[in-house]
Amino acid sequence: AVSASLGSIPGDPLYQVKIASERARIAVAQSASDKTTLRMEYVGRRVDEVTRIAGSPVNDNGSRLNTAVKHIKQDLGSVQQSLSDMSKSAEPKDVVEVAKLVDTKSEEYSATLEKSNDQLSVSDQVGVKEAKAMVEDISVQAVAVLVQAHANGAVSNDDIAATVGAKIENIINKANLVAEANATTSTQALPGTETANQALTALGAAKDLLGQQDYVSALTKVIEGKELVHAAEKIVDATTGAAALSALSAASSTLADPLIIGGNASVSITPLITPSTTCGTAACQPPQGTSTASQPTGVSTSTSPSSGG
C-alpha cells in the first residue's frame, strides 16, 4: 500500500497512506538534520502534487490544492523551527549542510510553483502563492544560518560571498519581472512598479555591502528587498485579480471577493531586524476595497561578520 501510494495526490484513496508513511519516517529519523532533510523532500513531493493538480481537468482542484498547500506550510514550518534549533545546538558541519540543502531546494520549489500558477484560476492561485512566498522566506532563513555559520568560522569567505551574491541576484530578477510585467500591461506604470524599484534600490545597497564583506548588513538589505518584492507582487495580484474577478462576476454571482496574496510567514532565527525602508507611499498601497496582509517579518543573525575565511 505504501509503495502504491507514492504516486497519489490529494483526493486519491491512498493519499493518507502516503502522508502517514512520511510522518512515520520522520518520527524514526535519528537526528535533526535527517528530519529536516526528509521534510524538504516531502515539500518537494507536495510541490509536484501541485503541478499535477494544476494540469488536471478534475473539477475539485481547489480542494486538492488546499490539501497540498496545507502540507507544504506544515512541513516548511517544521523546517523553519529546525533551522533555528540547529543553528543554536547542532554541529556546525551539519548546520551548514542542511542550510545549503534548504536554500537550493527552496529555489527549485519556488520556480516550480511559479510555473504551476500559469495553469490555475485566479482564486486557485491564492494558496499556491502563499506557499511560494513561504518557500522563499525559508530560503532566506537558510542563508541567514549560513551567514551566522560564517561568523563562527564554519563557512569560508568565498562561499558565503557566493551564496549571498546569488541570493541578491535571484531577488533582483524577481523584482525586474514585476517591473517588466507592469510595463508591458499598462501604458502607465502600476503601483507595483514603484515598490519593485524600491526593492531594486535595497538590493543595490546589498551588493555594495557584499563588496565590503559586511554580510550581516547585506543580508538585512536582502530581506528588505525580498519583502518589497513580495509587497509589489501583492499589489499586482490585487490589481489584476480584482479586474479578472470583476469580469467573471458578470457571468456568475458566486465568486469570492478578490484576495491579497500571502507571504506573511515569519522566518526569524533570532530577534528580528526590521527593514529600514518599507512600502509607505500612497502609490504602494493595495487597490481600494482589498484587504492587506500582516507585515512580513525578516531574518537577522545575532553575530558580527568575520573578515576571515
Side-chain angles (χ1 to χ4, degrees), residues 252-272:
S252 172
S253 60
T254 61
L255 292 174
D257 290 335
L259 296 175
I260 297 295
I261 307 306
N264 57 342
S266 170
V267 293
S268 62
I269 59 175
T270 55
L272 304 176

Side-chain angles (χ1 to χ4, degrees), residues 180-199:
E180 290 168 6
N182 282 351
T184 58
T185 58
S186 175
T187 56
Q188 183 176 4
L190 296 176
T193 302
E194 179 180 344
T195 311
N197 288 334
Q198 291 175 355

Side-chain angles (χ1 to χ4, degrees), residues 223-235:
I223 295 164
E224 182 180 328
K226 172 184 67 71
E227 298 298 352
L228 285 166
V229 170
H230 282 178
E233 290 173 340
K234 291 177 188 177
I235 294 168

Side-chain angles (χ1 to χ4, degrees), residues 24-129:
R25 284 189 65 191
I26 290 174
V28 300
Q30 296 298 310
S31 66
S33 62
D34 288 342
K35 291 178 185 292
T36 306
T37 299
L38 282 173
R39 286 191 173 104
M40 285 305 295
E41 176 186 336
Y42 298 153
V43 170
R45 290 185 183 182
R46 303 294 86 78
V47 170
D48 178 66
E49 291 165 9
V50 168
T51 300
R52 292 169 59 194
I53 294 168
S56 169
V58 179
N59 291 329
D60 62 344
N61 276 352
S63 175
R64 291 172 177 254
L65 282 170
N66 288 340
T67 299
V69 167
K70 179 188 74 173
H71 287 299
I72 288 175
K73 292 179 178 179
Q74 288 175 346
D75 279 332
L76 287 176
S78 297
V79 170
Q80 174 186 332
Q81 187 60 53
S82 293
L83 281 174
S84 178
D85 293 342
M86 288 181 67
S87 68
K88 299 171 185 174
S89 59
E91 289 293 325
K93 180 181 177 181
D94 292 338
V95 174
V96 170
E97 181 178 346
V98 171
K100 286 183 176 180
L101 172 71
V102 170
D103 180 34
T104 300
K105 291 297 184 182
S106 295
E107 292 294 351
E108 293 176 7
Y109 300 159
S110 174
T112 302
L113 290 171
E114 181 66 30
K115 291 179 182 178
S116 297
N117 266 329
D118 294 339
Q119 300 174 279
L120 297 172
S121 66
V122 172
S123 58
D124 284 341
Q125 287 179 11
V126 174
V128 176
K129 288 190 175 182

